[in-house]
Amino acid sequence: MYWTERHIFACTGNHCNQKGAAKVINRLRFELMRKGLNTRVHMNTCGTIDLCDIGPNIVVYPDNIVLSNVEENDVPDIVAFLSGGDVPERLLLNADTPAERTRERFYATLQNQGNRASRESIEPLATNHGLDMGWIEEQLRRGFMSKKPDDASGDDVYAMTSKSLHRYRLG
Ligand code: FES
């Protein structure tokens, strides 16, 4: 830790790395040094920030914001922001971001129906919230949802995990 104006944590956990975090971080480090910003912005890597479905993620303090779904091409805009410009809105995530509220509403509905959905019902549930099976698959891949055979019928049952329960304060 150094007493810089900003401190950022860039996630290098498995999920973010699978989606290109290393490239983002290498470019960001290079650009911070190239612009002489490394004396004003201190960057550390971290293991996860539990937003694995929307990574690669970068947390910025004291702004207290998360930049999500960051790609290498976003680095110039992030550097411009760290130089005193506007935050890149397309990357901005907080609890009130519309996309995050949509995900929260989906999970609240699933919770209201007993945290169980069949293969037949999960897709319309997602569609009703403007989401799709691609998004469901990503939730499964990143540990926010589970899919297990029902003890009695053997049919797949979709449910939210402790990760999504905590994230959306539903547990
Ligand atoms: S691995 Fe980066 S948020 Fe989970």
Side-chain angles (χ1 to χ4, degrees):
M1 173 74 197
Y2 300 98
W3 308 118
T4 50
E5 292 167 26
R6 282 192 167 108
H7 194 174
I8 66 181
F9 290 93
C11 182
T12 54
N14 278 344
H15 297 292
C16 286
N17 259 341
Q18 286 168 10
K19 295 189 276 185
K23 278 186 182 170
V24 170
I25 291 166
N26 287 342
R27 173 109 189 254
L28 186 53
R29 256 193 220 295
F30 175 79
E31 292 296 334
L32 289 176
M33 297 240 333
R34 194 167 73 86
K35 304 247 178 200
L37 279 172
N38 53 320
T39 57
R40 292 166 47 200
V41 179
H42 185 61
M43 180 163 88
N44 287 119
T45 55
C46 62
T48 186
I49 57 166
D50 292 327
L51 297 170
C52 315
D53 55 327
I54 51 173
N57 297 305
I58 295 172
V59 188
V60 185
Y61 294 110
D63 308 74
N64 201 24
I65 58 169
V66 177
L67 303 176
S68 64
N69 285 318
V70 178
E71 296 179 4
E72 192 181 359
N73 290 343
D74 295 315
V75 169
D77 288 343
I78 295 172
V79 170
F81 159 56
L82 296 171
S83 304
D86 294 333
V87 63
E89 290 285 335
R90 69 183 181 284
L91 305 176
L92 184 61
L93 176 90
N94 58 44
D96 294 323
T97 305
E100 187 67 352
R101 295 301 299 271
T102 294
R103 294 185 281 262
E104 181 179 3
R105 280 193 291 273
F106 165 87
Y107 277 119
T109 306
L110 184 60
Q111 176 79 323
N112 284 341
Q113 62 183 51
N115 193 19
R116 282 176 67 88
S118 64
R119 173 64 186 84
E120 291 68 37
S121 65
I122 195 73
E123 187 163 7
L125 182 61
T127 306
N128 287 343
H129 289 83
L131 302 165
D132 59 22
M133 284 308 288
W135 179 79
I136 296 287
E137 293 298 330
E138 180 69 354
Q139 297 301 287
L140 290 166
R141 242 186 328 269
R142 308 302 171 194
F144 289 90
M145 197 178 282
S146 65
K147 180 175 74 171
K148 294 181 184 153
D150 180 67
D151 287 343
S153 67
D155 294 339
D156 282 338
V157 175
Y158 293 75
M160 60 196 300
T161 64
S162 58
K163 238 173 143 174
S164 41
L165 283 163
H166 290 150
R167 175 162 160 188
Y168 298 108
R169 302 165 300 279
L170 296 168

